[in-house]
Amino acid sequence: MTTISRTSRRPVTRRSGVGFRQAARMERIKLCTLRSPWVTLLITVAGVVGLATEVGLNSKDTHGDITSNVLAGVAPGLLAFGVLGVLVMTNEYSSGLIKATLAAVPHRGTLLTAKTAVFGAVALAVGEIASFGAFFAGTAALPPAFHAPSLSDPTVLRAVLMVGAAYPLIGLLGLGVGTIVRHGAAATGVVIGAVFVGAQALGALARSLGAYAPISIVSGSLSATQAHTAGFPALGPWAGLGMLALYAGVALAAGAVLLARRDA
């Protein structure tokens, strides 16, 4: 009886002992062993830097917001990060791996937290590399008549850092949507609509609402170093970053509720 009792307890102890650290290690291994996400991230960084170089070479307005202009190429990168966030969760469902994952990490809140932390950390690191790379490449490509902005200017450094921070927030928005929808193509469509199409839809309803769309926040609030003209609606940089964090947080919270309630 003692042997049976001990044997019956072992699976329970082992399952309940899987905490955040072990779950995060599993997620890190899964992410590191997949080639496609890293290829996508490298292509994204190269594309963002290339666009910034192109913008720098073709700049003509010496009185414009140069920092914001050279960071304008982040838009395609944001889409890539949003789609990657979707795939972090939906690939588990499409491949059937989700059942094995939930068997290893039965507490679903711990699982989603681990995914959020691992993917968010990688996205933040790569996002900052892309943002700083775009800034240095774009300003280096400026025509001689331009006075290139410097990171020693607090508004410039803040803009570059905040644009880099937008990448993981859009990526986590995608992760939340992927957890809610569970289907890669459908979740990708939702993210594209929320990040890009939503700006036009909100702007059509009221010009002031367009400032709350994610892409408008990045291009009109986070990257700006100069005061906006009176007729141009835009959130402040910190308010804009807070809105992006709110969007990601709401999507992840909704995803966590549904993940806990639905079957795998």
Side-chain angles (χ1 to χ4, degrees):
M1 291 297 292
T2 303
T3 303
I4 295 174
S5 176
R6 287 177 179 174
T7 303
S8 64
R9 287 197 190 102
R10 283 175 186 168
V12 176
T13 303
R14 187 159 52 247
R15 286 169 63 108
S16 62
V18 176
F20 171 77
R21 182 175 299 180
Q22 294 91 336
R25 182 173 179 273
M26 291 170 54
E27 293 301 322
R28 186 171 64 251
I29 292 172
K30 282 192 286 187
L31 187 61
C32 290
T33 53
L34 294 175
R35 181 182 300 177
S36 56
W38 296 103
V39 172
T40 302
L41 291 173
L42 289 174
I43 293 174
T44 299
V45 173
V48 168
V49 172
L51 285 172
T53 303
E54 183 71 16
V55 170
L57 288 171
N58 293 281
S59 295
K60 300 187 184 320
D61 184 6
T62 57
H63 300 291
D65 192 336
I66 298 173
T67 300
S68 182
N69 291 340
V70 298
L71 293 176
V74 303
L78 292 174
L79 175 59
F81 274 64
V83 173
L84 276 177
V86 166
L87 296 179
V88 165
M89 179 57 78
T90 59
N91 275 351
E92 298 233 19
Y93 285 97
S94 61
S95 64
L97 183 62
I98 188 65
K99 294 181 179 180
T101 300
L102 291 175
V105 189
H107 193 284
R108 301 187 180 197
T110 300
L111 172 63
L112 185 58
T113 302
K115 283 184 178 292
T116 299
V118 172
F119 177 69
V122 171
L124 177 60
V126 178
E128 293 295 351
I129 290 172
S131 184
F132 276 91
F135 173 78
F136 287 123
T139 53
L142 289 170
F146 282 74
H147 176 69
S150 171
L151 290 177
S152 60
D153 184 344
T155 60
V156 173
L157 180 60
R158 185 263 304 154
V160 177
L161 287 171
M162 282 190 168
V163 168
Y167 283 92
L169 293 176
I170 297 298
L172 293 178
L173 172 63
L175 176 58
V177 172
T179 307
I180 295 169
V181 178
R182 300 198 294 186
H183 187 276
T188 298
V190 173
V191 171
I192 293 174
V195 176
F196 292 94
V197 181
Q200 285 72 31
L202 290 174
L205 293 174
R207 191 179 179 191
S208 59
L209 292 178
Y212 291 87
I215 192 62
S216 299
I217 290 173
V218 177
S219 61
S221 301
L222 303 188
S223 65
T225 64
Q226 299 178 5
H228 295 283
T229 58
F232 186 83
L235 301 176
W238 289 106
L241 192 68
M243 285 302 301
L244 289 183
L246 178 62
Y247 294 150
V250 169
L252 288 169
V257 172
L258 293 176
L259 181 64
R261 292 183 177 180
R262 295 186 299 202
D263 293 333

